[in-house]
Every structure is written in C-alpha cells, then in structure tokens.
Amino acid sequence: MERLQIAVEKARAKRRTKMQETASVPVPNPAPVKPASPAILSETAPAAPLVDTNSAREVAAAWQGLRPLETNGKIFRRNRLVSFEAGPQAAPYDLLRTRIIQQAKLHDWHRVAIVSPHAACGKTTTVANLAFSFARQKDLRTVILDLDLRRPALGKVMGRPMRFNMGDILERRVSFAEHGERYGENVAFGFNNEPARHPSETLQSLQTQEVLREIETTYGADLMLFDMPPMLASDDNVGFLKNVDCALLVVAAERTAMHQIDVTERQLAELTSVMGVVLNKCNYTDGEYGYDYGYY
C-alpha cells in the first residue's frame, strides 16, 4: 500500500512539473497523505452547492413511497457484502464512509461518482458495502444509483431482480418512485435489470441532468453515489462526470498497473475533482489497523 501511495504521488508530481514548465503560474506540490484502509489519498477542490430541497414532510412521504429492499443474508455473504452487519469486517467500509462524509462536508460535495480504471477492481462490491455503512449514518439521506448502463452489476450483487433499469428512469419511461427501493429510512437504490440501449447518449443528455436534479430534490439527498462503468472502457464517464462534484477511484491491489492509475486519475482530474484513490483487495495480516481485516 505504501508503495502505491509513493508511486501515485510521484506520478502527480511529474504531471505538475510538466505544467510548471509550460504555464506562468506555478503549481504547488501535493501535500503528504496518510494511509487508511481501504487506502484513500485525498486531492480535492470546491463544488457547487446542493439544489433546494422539498419540505421535510414531502421528503418523508417520498421515502415512505419507495418499496422496501428485500435483504438476503445468504446472497450477501456469498458476494462479500460484509458491511451488512456492523462489526470488525465492516470497519474498513465504515472508515471509508466517514472519510467520504468528511471530504463532502469540507468541500460542499453532494454527488460522488465511484469509478475504476478497468473491470474486476471490486468497485460495485465497494459501493454495495458503502450503502450499508451509510444506512447506519442515520442523519444522512443517501441515494445510490447504478449508472453502469452497459454491464450493470449492483442489482446482481445484492440479489435484486428488477423490472426496469436506470435507462428507463433517465429517459422518463418510468419514474424513480416506481422503480427505486429503500433500505431502512435513509438509503435508496436505483438498480438495473439489463443494459440500456444507448448508454453514452443517455448519460450525457440534458434530460439526465434534469432527472437527477429531481431525484436529489424529491428525496432530499445529502449524498448521491453513482456506480459508474470502468473509466478506460468507454466514453460514458467522459459524457457524464460533469454532473458530479467529485470522483472516487477504486483500484485493485496487485492487479491495477501504476500507469492505469495515473492515466485514469489524469482523465478524472480533467472532468471533475478527485476525492481520492481506494486501494481494494488488500491483505492485512499484521494487525496494522488494530486487528486482522482479512481480505477485501
């Protein structure tokens, strides 16, 4: 993990050196960062404020109108949704949740895209585990949408068969009130049942901007998390990330190459603020964080 952090910082410093050579305004070196588990390296900037919300009564009614999420402990255990039950195994995701909340409050961020350089980084599993961690943060309302419209996986990971998909919502064929599901009183999901017909065009449309704003307002969302497709796989993120305040990059230990992290982070920085990098699928066996986290 420390080697990854050093490599990331070297890559960032190299990019900044090139910018200094061609620009009249110097770019400061990045501040040192502290490791976390999962590891998150902060690089942040301000964002636009949240849209006006409905009254508390209207928001509460909207949440009660959503269908309750049916949980399945057997499926959750099989798919490594360890955050479903609070405890030692959920601790890394609770820590990541708290770091996200701190960064969001500090910079007035409300929309967070969760991305990865390539497939199989554990991005969707991370999103699902974060959902249960956020559910324990009772004073926050969180809306989580699967916007990987090419290879949707969040519903499968959570064992949720769906009649519609988020493409139907974004194209106004179905309302979110008909489609969304809630877990507890403060986490709502938008799953997919199949790939959308025109994912890139749908994600970058003006109508998508309007629908997201309506969902955010109707449900009084403090945070919206978007499970996005891999960054290097298509142009979907390029067209969509203008709609978010920041992005969190999930990479896989011993699988994601350093140059992939560098390229992805550079592309993200051109489109939105980079909240940080999460090093996933790490082995901790020495009790570095107080006890053995096992494999993530």
Side-chain angles (χ1 to χ4, degrees):
M1 182 175 68
E2 293 177 356
R3 290 196 298 270
L4 172 64
Q5 292 174 334
I6 294 171
V8 169
E9 292 305 322
K10 284 183 177 179
R12 288 175 178 168
K14 184 177 181 181
R15 292 202 301 269
R16 286 175 170 79
T17 299
K18 291 182 179 179
M19 292 174 63
Q20 288 175 327
E21 293 173 352
T22 57
S24 58
V25 180
V27 179
N29 290 327
V33 295
K34 297 180 180 180
S37 174
I40 177 168
L41 316 179
S42 297
E43 184 174 274
T44 55
L50 180 66
V51 295
D52 293 337
T53 58
N54 290 351
S55 70
R57 181 177 297 179
E58 291 173 322
V59 169
W63 278 85
Q64 289 303 312
L66 293 176
R67 184 170 55 253
L69 176 77
E70 295 181 10
T71 59
N72 187 318
K74 182 178 180 180
I75 291 178
F76 289 175
R77 287 189 292 272
R78 184 178 67 207
N79 292 332
R80 295 181 177 176
L81 303 191
V82 297
S83 188
F84 176 58
E85 297 178 350
Q89 287 190 313
Y93 294 103
D94 290 344
L95 176 58
L96 179 57
R97 172 208 61 198
T98 301
R99 294 291 297 276
I100 290 173
I101 292 172
Q102 290 174 342
Q103 291 292 315
K105 289 182 177 179
L106 177 64
H107 299 279
D108 197 23
W109 288 338
H110 301 275
R111 298 182 179 185
V112 184
I114 314 295
V115 302
S116 62
H118 53 80
C121 288
K123 169 181 58 65
T124 296
T125 302
T126 298
V127 172
N129 276 292
L130 278 173
F132 295 121
S133 287
F134 273 104
R136 291 190 283 274
Q137 196 71 39
K138 301 296 185 181
D139 57 342
L140 290 178
R141 292 190 180 96
T142 306
V143 175
I144 299 173
L145 305 180
D146 184 357
L147 294 190
D148 188 342
L149 303 184
R150 296 179 187 269
R151 296 182 62 183
L154 186 59
K156 294 179 180 178
V157 166
M158 301 189 69
R160 299 303 304 132
M162 287 286 109
R163 182 181 176 187
F164 306 107
N165 60 51
M166 283 304 300
D168 296 321
I169 311 305
L170 299 178
E171 294 179 4
R172 294 192 184 281
R173 289 190 291 272
V174 180
S175 70
F176 187 76
E178 298 175 85
H179 176 70
E181 296 191 354
R182 63 176 171 84
Y183 178 70
E185 303 298 323
N186 65 324
V187 172
F189 293 93
F191 298 118
N192 289 304
N193 65 341
E194 62 183 6
R197 290 177 294 181
H198 306 291
S200 179
E201 294 78 5
T202 297
L203 287 173
Q204 60 187 302
S205 70
L206 292 175
Q207 184 168 268
T208 288
Q209 296 180 34
E210 296 171 358
V211 172
L212 293 179
R213 190 179 303 114
E214 291 169 6
I215 294 173
E216 189 174 34
T217 302
T218 301
Y219 296 92
D222 297 294
L223 282 173
M224 297 183 76
L225 304 184
F226 304 103
D227 184 6
M228 301 302 300
M231 191 70 187
L232 304 179
S234 70
D235 66 330
D236 294 359
N237 286 295
V238 176
F240 177 79
L241 289 181
K242 64 181 181 293
N243 298 304
V244 306
D245 297 314
C246 61
L248 187 64
L249 179 60
V250 178
V251 302
E254 301 182 5
R255 180 179 177 90
T256 305
M258 189 57 228
H259 75 272
Q260 292 176 311
I261 299 175
D262 185 38
V263 169
T264 304
E265 189 183 27
R266 184 168 64 249
Q267 291 182 357
L268 285 174
E270 294 172 354
L271 299 167
T272 187
S273 299
V274 181
M275 177 180 279
V277 180
V278 173
L279 179 61
N280 197 30
K281 300 186 177 181
C282 303
N283 273 312
Y284 293 110
T285 58
D286 57 359
E288 181 178 355
Y289 292 94
Y291 44 78
D292 182 7
Y293 278 172
Y295 180 81
Y296 291 94

